[in-house]
Amino acid sequence: MLSLIIASKKVIDSFIVIWKKEETRALLFMISITLLSGTIFYSTVEKFSVIDSLYFSFMTLTTIGYGNYAPATTLGKIFTMVYVMVGLGLMSMFITTVAKSYIYNKKHHNHHHHKKHDDEENDVANVEADDKRNQINVTQ
């Protein structure tokens, strides 16, 4: 139970770092809009409850898809195909961003215990820049 609490705190810390960066804040906003649009659509067209609509939207975009809900209407099926094409990339980018921030915070927490929070944000930006340079080098 203690490890769950510690991991949850680190995830929350990751969200705080993400929120402070303009480009990742924009990504969080886009994910929120995407989930909201799915929630509104499924609750209106498929007649799911609001929480079931949000749940279905989230499960669909994370590709978990338990299968306990599915669109029954033709419009719902078409919307879901488009929704996945648009939302899956956004959700993947967001999950990757959270995971990178979480891993970075976990690795560097002990090494930089006394560092200022601003320095940690700069370190995350440097890690992301290194990742981009490495991706460029791999593709060349």
Side-chain angles (χ1 to χ4, degrees):
M1 182 67 173
L2 181 60
S3 63
L4 176 64
I5 292 169
I6 292 169
S8 297
K9 184 197 178 312
K10 289 180 182 176
V11 168
I12 291 168
D13 290 344
S14 297
F15 273 97
I16 291 168
V17 170
I18 288 167
W19 182 254
K20 290 184 177 186
K21 294 175 66 183
E22 187 175 335
E23 63 274 5
T24 52
R25 188 177 24 210
L27 182 59
L28 180 60
F29 177 75
M30 293 291 291
I31 287 295
S32 299
I33 294 299
T34 304
L35 289 171
L36 179 64
S37 67
T39 300
I40 291 168
F41 178 86
Y42 293 118
S43 63
T44 304
V45 174
E46 295 295 326
K47 307 298 184 209
F48 296 166
S49 71
V50 172
I51 192 68
D52 288 343
S53 297
L54 177 60
Y55 170 81
F56 178 73
S57 297
F58 184 82
M59 290 298 145
T60 299
L61 293 184
T62 57
T63 70
I64 295 170
Y66 287 126
N68 48 353
Y69 294 98
T73 66
T74 301
L75 181 59
K77 292 173 185 176
I78 292 169
F79 175 83
T80 302
M81 289 186 283
V82 174
Y83 186 67
V84 167
M85 295 289 287
V86 171
L88 187 59
L90 288 171
M91 185 62 80
S92 298
M93 287 179 1
F94 182 71
I95 290 170
T96 300
T97 301
V98 172
K100 281 182 179 180
S101 180
Y102 176 84
I103 290 166
Y104 180 83
N105 287 340
K106 186 174 180 178
K107 281 183 178 178
H108 290 79
H109 179 70
N110 293 334
H111 299 297
H112 303 289
H113 194 302
H114 298 291
K115 258 187 155 184
K116 290 183 179 178
H117 192 67
D118 289 344
D119 290 341
E120 290 176 7
E121 286 180 28
N122 290 334
D123 288 344
V124 171
N126 290 336
V127 167
E128 289 175 354
D130 288 343
D131 285 347
K132 287 179 184 176
R133 280 192 292 275
N134 289 338
Q135 288 173 351
I136 292 170
N137 290 336
V138 168
T139 58
Q140 291 178 346

